[in-house]
Amino acid sequence: MTTPAHGRRAIWLLAGLTALLALLLYLPTLRYSFVGVDDQKHLADNPLILRGAASDLAELWARPYFGHYVPVNYTVWFAVARLANGDRLNAFNTTLQPAWFHAANVLCHALNVLLLCLLLWRLTGHPGAAVAGALLFAVHPLQVESVAWISSFRDPFSATWALLACHAYLRFTAGGRGCWGWYAAALACFVLGLLTKPQAVALPLVLAALDHWVGGRPWPWVAVALAPWLAPALAVVLLTAHTQPGAEAVAAALAPWYRPLIALDALAFYLGKLVWPAELALDYGRTPQHALQQGWLYWTWLLPATVAAGLAWWGRRQKLAPVAAALALTGVLPVLGLVPFAYQIHSTVADRYAYLALAGVALALAAALARVRRPWPWLAAGLVLALFAARTVQHLPVWRDSDHLLPHMLAVNPRSWLGNTDYGALLERRERFAAAEPYLRRGAELRPDQRLSWDLLATLYQHWGRHQDAERCAREALRVAPNTPDALTLLGEVLGAQRRATEALEYYDRALRLAPQFGRAHLGAAAAALALDRYPLAEYHCRQVLARRPNSQLAWHRLGVALYLEGRRAEALGPLQRAVDLQPDAADSRFMLGVTLLKEGRAHEAVPHLREAALLTPDDPVRAQALTAAELLAGDRR
């Protein structure tokens, strides 16, 4: 397509304005927080992000993290954390700034709107139709989850690579000088997309459609051109199948002949939400088993079948119809359920899975409007886009924080295991144990095969002082997930709280045989060893923790206690002082440091620490007596 320079400037201006509108629409998310669903484990509690060392970045490239190998995605988060926190990143109690990560999501979405607008203009040759299609992609409520949820950054970011690959491949199919350079660029974008999110694996279908229906090349030529793309795609498929937790359980629970019906049911769901985006939620609970029980599978296939027939009829007159269908299908094909994937344990469908698919819908709208000469279809499209934008504005505050997101999820889907478990965990962290218990119990009832439900219940009962209930739940967690370090350590902690240190140490040892570097088990073993007067063993476990986590306040405290009880009081002062420096309001560390200083004949130095410990625990008579004794020795009565 040859376009005058002023025409190119005009479409760039229109595309930029469309991207700016998308940016302004999602600008409120910069004030939103991290949410408990995945944001904590991926970012806020991820030591590889919090430490910010080059070795941590290398580790993110070297192995999957939480069952996902998405190193390009983590590299961006790593860089954003460095920008947001700078030199403070490796400090104790580092708190990441969510605004920076939300900004990355919003900017990525705006960039995608720009790239899509330019792509639609290139394919339709109609600037107004390109803007209309890009606006649909920008403002549709189904995009809210992908843009407002920090953990879903990989969806818009992988779409960025897909759109860049489409642009580069179109340059390749146009031929001319340097066309193979564009081919290499498209292949590189595909590989980067795969390393951002494996869902990009179906992108060659879109490029094949572009090559044949837009570039006009025969299918044998297309097959030869795209054959090298199969190698990285196959590698990512095999890696994902090997590393993704839970996929085997999904595959075993559903007979293979049901999978096409599951896929068609998912397509029907997305088509319904495309037209009527109401009751959007993070977890719809639309598992394959639930769909089978409800009987949906036997009639929901009619909707995608009807749409496919309509596209086939339209495709006879419009060459972009197959391209739009391929782009829409590519976005969701890997997660329709034809191949089992881990999230199917919770739901086969999710709003974020439709992010790139909406680019195909945008192309269909642009292709249709490009042929329209009458004003009323344009007015109708404008009205629908305005309604979608209004719905997005209305739905966006749901993602403000966990206090808004989780109750909304439960309002839409009361049977959500994720919703009940995460909301119960949120209430438990705030020590609202009575409020948290019914949610956690409901989660355990919904998914008794999930260790996390029993873990959280055991921890809740432990904090609540209901030790027998805590032990029952901890043993249930171990039954569900035998020989897992977390479950073994939890049971050790529960037993330790009941002063059954010998039994507790056995479970810690079992956990450490499975995971020798597991810091939580080392800390628990140190506590049990202290209770059994095995001070050298306690010292060993504390030093194991400090070798990998030098800012572990609890490890420094227990090391100081072990040295003190072993009679090495002068050596204990350093670890105890370090524990106080790391957490000045830790009453136990303050008290132990004060007592150690007092025993070393340094009463004047002991008084401030014992005074602070007494203020932090005013109902403890032992600490009050220690303070009185220190003040008498130091002559410091106030």
Side-chain angles (χ1 to χ4, degrees):
M1 179 187 299
T2 302
T3 307
H6 64 85
R8 288 195 296 272
R9 285 195 296 269
I11 187 60
W12 271 95
L13 177 61
L14 288 171
L17 290 173
T18 308
L20 180 61
L21 178 63
L23 191 149
L24 293 174
L25 183 66
Y26 283 97
L27 204 58
T29 62
L30 270 62
R31 300 192 301 269
Y32 293 0
S33 305
F34 291 117
V35 294
V37 185
D38 283 1
D39 284 354
Q40 295 297 123
K41 71 178 183 181
H42 285 304
L43 288 165
D45 295 335
N46 183 350
L48 301 179
I49 297 292
L50 290 172
R51 285 194 299 257
S55 59
D56 297 319
L57 181 59
E59 188 171 349
L60 289 169
W61 277 84
R63 62 176 179 85
Y65 189 76
F66 277 103
H68 301 281
Y69 186 66
V70 288
V72 173
N73 182 70
Y74 278 115
T75 299
V76 174
W77 279 342
F78 186 90
V80 171
R82 297 295 297 178
L83 286 172
N85 287 65
D87 295 335
R88 304 187 307 277
L89 199 59
N90 201 27
F92 174 71
N93 247 0
T94 297
T95 302
L96 294 177
Q97 304 300 315
W100 287 75
F101 296 92
H102 280 298
N105 281 43
V106 174
L107 288 171
C108 189
H109 181 56
L111 175 60
N112 290 341
V113 172
L114 175 71
L115 292 171
L116 180 61
C117 190
L118 295 172
L119 181 64
L120 298 183
W121 165 72
R122 185 179 181 86
L123 293 174
T124 65
H126 194 296
V131 169
L135 280 174
L136 174 65
F137 180 85
V139 306
H140 198 284
L142 274 177
Q143 305 290 51
V144 169
E145 181 175 307
S146 297
V147 185
W149 186 19
I150 291 174
S151 291
S152 192
F153 172 69
R154 56 184 177 265
D155 294 287
F157 195 35
S158 65
T160 302
W161 296 117
L163 292 170
L164 287 171
C166 289
H167 278 282
Y169 200 84
L170 280 174
R171 291 289 190 96
F172 163 67
T173 59
R177 186 176 180 180
C179 67
W180 287 103
W182 289 111
Y183 177 87
L187 181 56
C189 288
F190 174 58
V191 173
L192 288 169
L194 290 173
L195 296 177
T196 301
K197 186 173 185 180
Q199 193 174 340
V201 71
L203 180 62
L205 295 178
V206 179
L207 304 183
L210 286 170
D211 205 346
H212 179 71
W213 276 288
V214 177
R217 301 179 191 271
W219 284 116
W221 196 99
V222 174
V224 171
L226 290 173
W229 298 55
L230 295 178
L234 183 60
V236 166
V237 166
L238 293 176
L239 179 64
T240 303
H242 177 70
T243 61
Q244 199 171 74
E248 298 88 352
V250 173
L254 187 69
W257 51 83
Y258 282 118
R259 290 178 193 161
L261 289 175
I262 292 293
L264 290 170
D265 176 71
L267 282 175
F269 172 87
Y270 291 125
L271 289 168
K273 292 297 182 184
L274 175 68
V275 177
W276 191 255
E279 295 191 329
L280 302 176
L282 179 60
D283 175 22
Y284 292 103
R286 203 179 179 98
T287 63
Q289 292 74 20
H290 188 56
L292 279 169
Q293 292 169 2
Q294 298 297 319
W296 298 333
L297 300 184
Y298 304 109
W299 58 269
T300 50
W301 63 269
L302 290 170
L303 180 57
T306 303
V307 171
L311 285 171
W313 173 82
W314 189 36
R316 296 178 181 178
R317 302 185 301 166
Q318 171 59 266
K319 67 178 182 179
L320 291 179
V323 180
L327 184 53
L329 189 60
T330 293
V332 295
L333 184 60
V335 287
L336 287 178
L338 292 171
V339 177
F341 59 97
Y343 191 71
Q344 274 188 298
I345 295 173
H346 308 296
S347 181
T348 300
V349 297
D351 293 354
R352 60 189 178 277
Y353 294 157
Y355 185 84
L356 181 60
L358 276 169
V361 180
L363 176 55
L365 175 64
L369 289 177
R371 293 193 169 197
V372 170
R373 297 294 177 265
R374 296 180 180 179
W376 68 264
W378 287 88
L379 293 173
L383 177 61
V384 171
L385 290 174
L387 291 173
F388 282 158
R391 176 71 182 112
T392 292
V393 170
Q394 180 191 38
H395 181 56
L396 204 55
V398 164
W399 286 91
R400 187 180 306 161
D401 51 38
S402 295
D403 290 295
H404 290 79
L405 176 65
L406 297 174
H408 172 80
M409 190 195 313
L410 291 172
V412 176
N413 177 22
R415 291 183 51 81
S416 170
W417 175 81
L418 280 174
N420 280 284
T421 302
D422 286 348
Y423 195 42
L426 176 68
L427 295 171
E428 181 179 339
R429 286 194 298 273
R430 294 174 180 171
E431 298 187 359
R432 296 175 56 188
F433 302 127
E437 185 186 18
Y439 291 102
L440 295 177
R441 288 176 62 87
R442 178 64 169 156
E445 291 168 2
L446 289 168
R447 297 295 307 278
D449 59 331
Q450 289 293 305
R451 178 180 60 83
L452 180 60
S453 298
W454 300 108
D455 277 5
L456 290 168
L457 270 174
T459 305
L460 179 143
Y461 290 136
Q462 185 82 344
H463 285 305
W464 213 346
R466 293 168 56 177
H467 298 299
Q468 290 184 343
D469 288 332
E471 182 179 349
R472 174 178 55 80
C473 292
R475 292 192 181 280
E476 192 66 24
L478 190 59
R479 183 193 65 78
V480 169
N483 295 322
T484 56
D486 288 284
L488 290 163
T489 301
L490 175 65
L491 184 52
E493 291 167 347
V494 169
L495 293 171
Q498 299 179 49
R499 303 183 184 277
R500 294 156 65 183
T502 302
E503 295 175 71
L505 195 57
E506 292 175 3
Y507 285 101
Y508 291 133
D509 287 342
R510 286 174 59 186
L512 289 169
R513 282 196 292 273
L514 294 168
Q517 302 298 329
F518 190 27
R520 182 179 159 197
H522 277 297
L523 284 172
L530 286 172
L532 295 170
D533 299 333
R534 298 173 64 179
Y535 308 126
L537 180 61
E539 179 184 355
Y540 164 77
H541 285 294
C542 290
R543 295 196 185 279
Q544 288 294 309
V545 175
L546 292 170
R548 289 180 60 85
R549 292 167 52 197
N551 287 332
S552 173
Q553 192 273 342
L554 193 55
W556 284 113
H557 171 79
R558 289 180 181 170
L559 175 60
V561 172
L563 295 172
Y564 173 88
L565 293 174
E566 200 176 356
R568 297 156 63 185
R569 293 195 294 265
E571 293 179 60
L573 286 173
L576 291 170
Q577 182 64 61
R578 180 67 171 150
V580 170
D581 292 341
L582 287 170
Q583 191 175 343
D585 62 346
D588 290 343
S589 298
R590 286 277 190 184
F591 177 72
M592 280 304 305
L593 179 57
V595 168
T596 307
L597 288 166
L598 189 62
K599 293 287 186 180
E600 287 292 289
R602 297 160 64 178
H604 283 287
E605 297 174 66
V607 168
H609 295 293
L610 292 173
R611 184 173 292 140
E612 186 66 23
L615 288 172
L616 289 168
T617 53
D619 297 328
D620 191 328
V622 174
R623 294 182 182 181
Q625 291 168 8
L627 173 60
T628 301
E631 288 174 337
L632 287 172
L633 287 172
D636 182 14
R637 295 291 293 175
R638 295 188 182 181

